């Protein structure tokens, strides 16, 4: 069904998988009437909503725009606080700041690096309006506990599911576990549209708000105006141009058809890594709860600093052509957050300690068993040399 790409020497940490079907679809759309908003946008939204088992999906320009739109739909505004984990990409917290609100960092669980519901509850004040859970590496958060907290304090529960499309939690798919769930279609994620993002929700009001926000805050869409033979529209709120194009959504539709294959490949690679890595001293992988089906956007290992320095391992592997990476620098340690919100080292000790140990190994659908063996072989050699 899909062509396999051949690697020559370098193994990147992630890479998109584009085949002839993807290319054909985009070429067809280039010959059609619509380049930006057209029928493919709606088709892609329906397809993702159906895939997840959710009522609505609203596609936007990228994952960050999707997070921002979700903050808007949740009514986040100046004076509000939103609880976020530190172990994530900066966009998760930035989206809160876009709406003039304050991100409040709740530390993570040391075994999974997922936001810790106990820490979340400790951070709640009378200004708290929402919780953003990040399904780090592709492992769904503890949504039962987070849901209980959200209900108890009347908060909106948002899932930053940029790592976890297709992941499962107690028999349910990601996209149905929070009030709104966010996907990114950046090339390094499970499926790509070049740049792209989506918010998935069961809530009718959220869906209306999200659609308005992506189109300048205008309350009707151009297609509808054309159908109704009217020029009239009203801008009722300040929005953005966060639209995604038909070109991108056509690619997204074609990629979505391959998602089951991508997930299967990622899970196979992760299982093979675990099998090979358990023989190596000084390395362990993150815990996977038995009630989840992991989507493995990332394969993260924890390096025992007493055995080998993570910095040395990182540099040695890179110089040997193995595309390792570090996800993430805890967001609260970035100068912007320190300066603007007074965050500091010591605020989230679990995430800070984990940050010294984490290393992301290459994982992408076209990666074969041989390449997994190559990564582990090089890893093992560097550790042996150092000890
Ligand atoms: C990729 C990513 C985003 C941002 O998505 P973009 O499409 O790059 O804007 C946000 N949060 C997390 C956790 C991500 O991995």
């Amino acid at each position: 069904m899909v062509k396999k790409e051949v690697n020559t020497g370098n193994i990147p940490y992630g890479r998109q998988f584009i085949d002839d079907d993807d290319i054909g679809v985009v070429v067809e759309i280039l010959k059609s009437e619509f380049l930006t908003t057209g029928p493919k946008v709606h088709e892609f939204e329906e397809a993702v909503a159906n895939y997840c088992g959710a009522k609505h999906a609203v596609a936007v320009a990228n994952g960050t725009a999707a997070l921002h739109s979700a903050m808007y739909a949740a009514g986040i505004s100046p004076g509000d606080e939103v609880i976020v984990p530190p172990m994530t990409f900066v966009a998760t917290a930035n989206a809160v700041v876009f709406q003039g609100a304050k991100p409040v960092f709740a530390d993570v669980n040391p075994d999974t690096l997922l936001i810790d519901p106990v820490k979340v509850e400790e951070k709640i004040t009378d200004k708290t309006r929402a919780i953003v859970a990040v399904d780090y590496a592709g492992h769904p958060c503890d949504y039962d506990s987070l849901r209980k907290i959200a209900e108890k304090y009347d908060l909106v529960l948002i899932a930053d599911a940029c790592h976890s499309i297709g992941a499962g939690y107690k028999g349910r798919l990601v996209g149905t576990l929070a009030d709104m769930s966010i996907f990114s279609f950046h090339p390094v994620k499970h499926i790509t549209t070049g740049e792209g993002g989506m918010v998935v929700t069961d809530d009718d009001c959220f869906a209306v708000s999200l659609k308005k926000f992506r189109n300048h805050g205008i309350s009707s869409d151009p297609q509808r105006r054309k159908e109704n033979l009217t020029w009239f529209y009203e801008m009722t709120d300040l929005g953005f141009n966060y639209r995604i194009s038909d070109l991108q959504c056509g690619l997204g539709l074609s990629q979505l058809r391959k998602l089951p294959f991508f997930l299967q490949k990622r899970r196979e690679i992760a299982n093979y890594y675990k099998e090979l890595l358990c023989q190596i001293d000084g390395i362990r992988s993150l815990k996977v709860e038995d009630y989840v089906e992991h989507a493995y956007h990332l394969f993260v290992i924890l390096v025992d600093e007493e055995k080998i320095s993570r910095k040395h391992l990182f540099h040695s592997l890179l110089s040997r052509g193995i595309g390792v990476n570090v996800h993430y620098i805890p967001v609260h340690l970035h100068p912007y957050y320190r300066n603007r919100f007074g965050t500091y080292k010591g605020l989230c000790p679990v995430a800070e300690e984990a940050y010294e140990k984490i290393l992301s190994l290459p994982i992408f659908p076209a990666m074969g068993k041989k390449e997994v063996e190559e990564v582990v072989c090089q890893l093992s050699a560097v550790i042996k040399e150092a000890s």
Side-chain angles (χ1 to χ4, degrees), residues 66-301:
L67 279 162
H68 185 192
S69 304
M71 291 299 148
Y72 169 81
I76 304 305
S77 53
D80 293 345
E81 293 178 359
V82 175
I83 298 176
V84 300
M87 190 51 76
T88 184
F89 184 51
V90 290
T92 312
N94 292 355
V96 177
V97 186
F98 294 162
Q99 283 302 101
K102 180 185 173 189
V104 172
F105 296 93
D107 211 349
V108 294
N109 175 300
D111 300 319
T112 58
L113 306 188
L114 300 171
I115 198 164
D116 180 344
V118 174
K119 305 280 172 56
V120 169
E121 195 159 9
E122 284 170 12
K123 296 284 181 179
I124 288 171
T125 71
D126 56 6
K127 294 176 178 165
T128 312
R129 296 286 172 268
I131 304 167
V132 186
V134 176
D135 297 340
Y136 178 77
H139 187 306
C141 293
D142 178 0
Y143 283 101
D144 281 349
S145 302
L146 293 170
R147 170 61 66 199
K148 270 193 202 125
I149 296 168
E151 276 172 10
K152 184 170 164 190
Y153 298 94
D154 194 21
L155 310 174
V156 181
L157 180 57
I158 296 167
D160 179 338
C162 290
H163 294 185
S164 62
I165 191 167
Y169 173 88
K170 300 183 182 177
R172 289 152 65 201
L173 271 184
V174 161
T176 61
L177 305 168
D179 298 316
M180 285 182 269
S181 302
I182 278 78
F183 297 131
S184 163
F185 308 123
H186 181 278
V188 89
K189 307 292 161 74
H190 285 77
I191 60 170
T192 189
T193 59
E195 295 278 2
M198 200 172 284
V199 185
V200 171
T201 183
D202 279 337
D203 187 291
D204 300 343
C205 294
F206 286 158
V208 170
S209 282
L210 293 163
K211 284 180 183 165
K212 192 168 87 172
F213 194 64
R214 80 170 159 193
N215 195 31
H216 308 278
I218 291 170
S219 56
S220 72
D221 69 82
Q223 198 57 34
R224 192 79 31 88
R225 285 199 293 278
K226 203 168 151 191
E227 284 160 19
N228 296 344
L229 299 174
T230 178
W231 68 81
F232 187 75
Y233 63 85
E234 274 183 310
M235 181 192 143
T236 54
D237 212 345
L238 187 63
F240 287 75
N241 177 355
Y242 275 167
R243 294 187 305 265
I244 190 169
S245 69
D246 250 36
L247 277 176
Q248 292 167 305
C249 290
L251 177 56
L253 277 161
S254 173
Q255 287 266 300
L256 186 64
R257 286 193 279 274
K258 289 185 277 281
L259 179 56
F261 165 74
F262 291 162
L263 285 163
Q264 187 202 329
K265 290 295 289 184
R266 286 177 177 276
R267 285 167 180 156
E268 280 170 15
I269 293 162
N271 286 333
Y272 196 38
Y273 264 136
K274 281 189 246 180
E275 190 185 316
L276 299 178
L277 287 172
C278 68
Q279 294 151 20
I280 298 179
D281 230 20
I283 297 293
R284 68 192 161 93
S285 44
L286 291 175
K287 183 182 177 192
V288 180
E289 300 290 359
D290 55 16
Y291 51 78
V292 307
E293 288 219 62
H294 206 304
Y296 289 109
H297 164 58
L298 301 174
F299 190 84
V300 178
I301 57 169

Side-chain angles (χ1 to χ4, degrees), residues 346-364:
L347 183 66
C348 297
V350 179
E352 290 163 23
E353 200 188 318
Y355 167 56
E356 303 295 332
K357 299 179 180 166
I358 48 179
L359 193 68
S360 304
L361 302 184
I363 187 165
F364 51 92

